[in-house]
Amino acid sequence: MQTFSSIYSDFLPLVLLSLIIGCSSRPLYRLPSGAPDGTKQPLQTSRPFNVAHRGSNGEFPEETAPSYMRAIEEGADFIEADILSSKDGVLVCNHDLTLDETSDVAEHKEFADRKRTYQVAGTNLTGFFIVDFTLQELKTLRVKQRYPFRDQQYNGKFQIITFEEYISIAMDAPRVVGIYPEIKNPVFINQHVQWADGKKFEDKIAETLKKYGYEGSYMSEEWLKQPIFIQSFAPTSLVSISNLTDSPKVFLIDDVTVLTEDTSQTYEEITSDAYLDYIKQYVIGIGPWKDTIVPVNSNHLVTPTDLIARAHARNLQVHPYTYRNENQFLHLEFYEDPYAEYEYWIDKIGVDGLFTDFTGSLHRFQEWTSPLAGRK
């Protein structure tokens, strides 16, 4: 099994120099492999899960080693990643099918002829697609912050990482930290990447998880040692991987205007009672976009739907996405206060987990509002 040390032997000097020395106000340290006696603090299960959305990407470029390390340092219960594949079939962490928005690919003249137009979920998309690059080529790129209003000082310093490197970061944390990989765009990946012996994207993900010991149903002894949720917007992928692993799955739900990428079902169809009754055979929860749970009109919240109540009635967890601290993402009822948003969703709406770009903020809120806060 790969260790953190072997993966990041060439990466750590850069981290130490650029982050610890140059940014003393935001230090980032190498994560030790457990406590001195070989034990690890267990995963907390008494309050909603703090899911680091693409790592702590409010501070560092998304889906990078520093982003995940920072999220662990700040108290994440799970680190989340979007899994895609390189041209040569290596699973990598990247949200977009294209590299344009979050890497310096456009600055690499040697790749100028790689721009393509492909049909993705019925729409033509043009860019530098990750499936047209080998892992070796991807490793020559450097990533950048997606949003211009976030910290840009780390642009060009970090690589795209593999699924296995991401797993190793979680496993080398000083306490039990779960992983939350997404089977990203499986229809497109299975069309454009070929593996030996007729294997598919879902097979490769399941094989990798098995290699690193991820197994067991939700809250089982095995699961508590190495917690995991497998997520996807594609219900057929969740059904497929259910035949390969008993690890818990979460069905992601997009905006009300977006059809499922594999079955072309509407939001109304996939949130109906009949469909929830069907999908609960394969998943332990749903992950809806938060504005579908509590709709918004002119940036004001309106009456919440009954989606959470209907999910909970079927013993399904609800892990909405995405919570962000910046004012442009906060609805007017929260008065530019992300803690007010967390209070609303946890205490009033009753969610079971939250995908956040700012792991530290959610962790602080939960610590401050814990019944044990202030006790010695």
Side-chain angles (χ1 to χ4, degrees):
M1 182 182 295
Q2 279 184 298
T3 66
F4 184 90
S5 298
S6 64
I7 293 172
Y8 295 107
S9 60
D10 59 343
F11 169 78
L12 282 172
L14 176 58
V15 173
L16 293 171
L17 288 174
S18 65
L19 302 183
I20 295 176
I21 296 175
C23 309
S24 58
S25 63
R26 191 187 297 170
L28 181 70
Y29 303 100
R30 179 181 175 184
L31 301 171
S33 296
D37 62 357
T39 63
K40 289 188 176 185
Q41 179 182 347
L43 177 75
Q44 74 78 22
T45 57
S46 63
R47 62 192 187 193
F49 292 124
N50 182 338
V51 183
H53 181 241
R54 310 179 204 169
S56 185
N57 80 87
E59 299 180 66
F60 291 95
E62 65 187 45
E63 317 243 24
T64 59
S67 183
Y68 292 124
M69 292 166 65
R70 182 63 170 174
I72 293 170
E73 184 183 56
E74 291 182 328
D77 299 315
F78 289 83
I79 53 174
E80 187 257 359
D82 304 279
I83 310 305
L84 293 169
S85 177
S86 65
K87 181 179 181 178
D88 48 345
V90 180
L91 302 183
V92 296
C93 299
N94 203 70
H95 177 269
D96 299 356
L97 284 172
T98 57
L99 298 158
D100 303 61
E101 286 197 41
T102 56
S103 84
D104 63 356
V105 65
E107 299 172 20
H108 287 253
K109 294 181 180 180
E110 68 273 24
F111 300 139
D113 62 348
R114 299 290 179 91
K115 184 170 282 193
R116 300 283 189 276
T117 298
Y118 291 127
Q119 189 173 88
V120 179
T123 302
N124 286 337
L125 180 64
T126 299
F128 294 94
F129 282 80
I130 203 164
V131 295
D132 291 325
F133 293 78
T134 66
L135 178 63
Q136 184 177 1
E137 291 171 335
L138 290 173
K139 285 292 188 179
T140 68
L141 306 179
R142 293 296 179 269
V143 299
K144 61 183 180 181
Q145 175 59 253
R146 178 184 295 273
Y147 296 110
F149 48 81
R150 290 182 177 171
D151 196 341
Q152 304 293 308
Q153 68 174 306
Y154 305 114
N155 291 351
K157 294 185 176 180
F158 310 122
Q159 294 180 337
I160 291 171
I161 64 172
T162 67
F163 186 28
E164 293 191 60
E165 289 171 335
Y166 153 80
I167 288 173
S168 294
I169 293 171
M171 294 183 68
D172 271 352
R175 56 187 171 80
V176 175
V177 173
I179 62 172
Y180 210 130
E182 179 182 343
I183 309 172
K184 194 74 176 179
N185 296 107
V187 174
F188 182 88
I189 294 297
N190 279 319
Q191 288 173 342
H192 292 271
V193 181
Q194 301 297 318
W195 285 279
D197 302 322
K199 294 291 180 66
K200 292 189 174 182
F201 190 27
E202 294 84 355
D203 297 311
K204 299 303 293 185
I205 289 176
E207 287 175 3
T208 304
L209 294 174
K210 182 177 180 180
K211 174 182 175 181
Y212 285 90
Y214 286 91
E215 60 183 354
S217 58
Y218 181 60
M219 288 296 176
S220 66
E221 182 177 351
E222 296 87 356
W223 186 87
L224 288 169
K225 289 179 181 178
Q226 292 182 225
I228 179 176
F229 291 108
I230 302 169
Q231 57 176 333
S232 183
F233 285 100
T236 57
S237 270
L238 293 170
V239 172
S240 176
I241 205 165
S242 291
N243 296 319
L244 305 173
T245 175
D246 60 352
S247 292
K249 295 100 187 157
V250 173
F251 177 39
L252 298 175
I253 299 174
D254 213 323
D255 183 16
V256 295
T257 63
V258 179
L259 303 179
T260 54
E261 67 177 90
D262 53 340
T263 58
S264 297
Q265 291 171 285
T266 66
Y267 175 84
E268 285 75 19
E269 289 175 306
I270 62 175
T271 58
S272 67
D273 286 343
Y275 197 80
L276 292 177
D277 287 336
Y278 161 74
I279 202 66
K280 74 176 184 180
Q281 302 172 77
Y282 305 100
V283 305
I284 60 94
I286 58 174
W289 182 40
K290 60 188 175 71
D291 285 6
T292 67
I293 299 173
V294 183
V296 175
N297 184 10
S298 300
N299 207 26
H300 281 284
L301 301 177
V302 297
T303 304
T305 69
D306 63 352
L307 180 58
I308 287 185
R310 292 190 293 110
H312 283 171
R314 292 163 172 80
N315 202 31
L316 291 170
Q317 293 192 32
V318 182
H319 300 173
Y321 65 92
T322 302
Y323 298 85
R324 299 179 168 109
N325 285 13
E326 292 97 352
N327 293 340
Q328 58 263 54
F329 297 118
L330 290 168
H331 302 312
L332 295 176
E333 282 74 13
F334 303 125
Y335 302 102
E336 301 182 356
D337 182 358
Y339 297 111
E341 183 179 39
Y342 289 139
E343 180 181 30
Y344 174 80
W345 282 93
I346 293 173
D347 296 342
K348 295 185 179 181
I349 299 300
V351 298
D352 307 291
L354 303 89
F355 288 81
T356 177
D357 285 3
F358 293 88
T359 314
S361 295
L362 177 54
H363 182 72
R364 284 190 294 273
F365 172 80
Q366 291 187 295
E367 289 289 290
W368 292 337
T369 57
S370 167
L372 300 178
R375 297 184 184 182
K376 295 183 179 180

